[in-house]
Amino acid sequence: SVDDVIHGVEMVVGQFQQVLNARGVEELDPTGEAFDPSCMEAMSAVPVTDAAQDGVVIATLKPGYRFQGREVRPALVVVGRKA
């Protein structure tokens, strides 16, 4: 059934991620962190009313990756900007 196929694919993806992590690949999800242009790429900015969210990553569109401490791909993020 379709549910069995979906479950199988999810298992394979999980195993693949475990192998990558064991080899030193880290997935980066900076949601809630301050925007850092050295390891993130802002895809858009959204207006926020709370000053605490100004310059903070509101959402991660694609996670970034680091391999043995070196950036492989920056995270693609949405950043809050005080209106």
Side-chain angles (χ1 to χ4, degrees):
S1 78
V2 173
D3 290 336
D4 292 335
V5 172
I6 291 171
H7 180 69
V9 170
E10 289 172 343
M11 287 177 49
V12 170
V13 169
Q15 291 172 345
F16 184 66
Q17 288 175 333
Q18 288 176 347
V19 169
L20 290 176
N21 290 341
R23 303 283 191 278
V25 176
E26 300 173 67
E27 183 176 284
L28 308 172
D29 181 355
T31 302
E33 298 177 14
F35 176 70
D36 181 358
S38 69
C39 62
M40 301 172 201
E41 187 174 333
M43 300 307 294
S44 66
V46 295
V48 293
T49 55
D50 184 2
Q53 289 185 323
D54 187 33
V56 173
V57 175
I58 302 300
T60 300
L61 302 175
K62 280 190 172 182
Y65 290 92
R66 189 178 301 149
F67 177 62
Q68 297 179 349
R70 300 183 82 183
E71 183 183 327
V72 177
R73 184 179 86 185
L76 304 181
V77 300
V78 176
V79 181
R81 288 284 174 229
K82 181 92 167 97

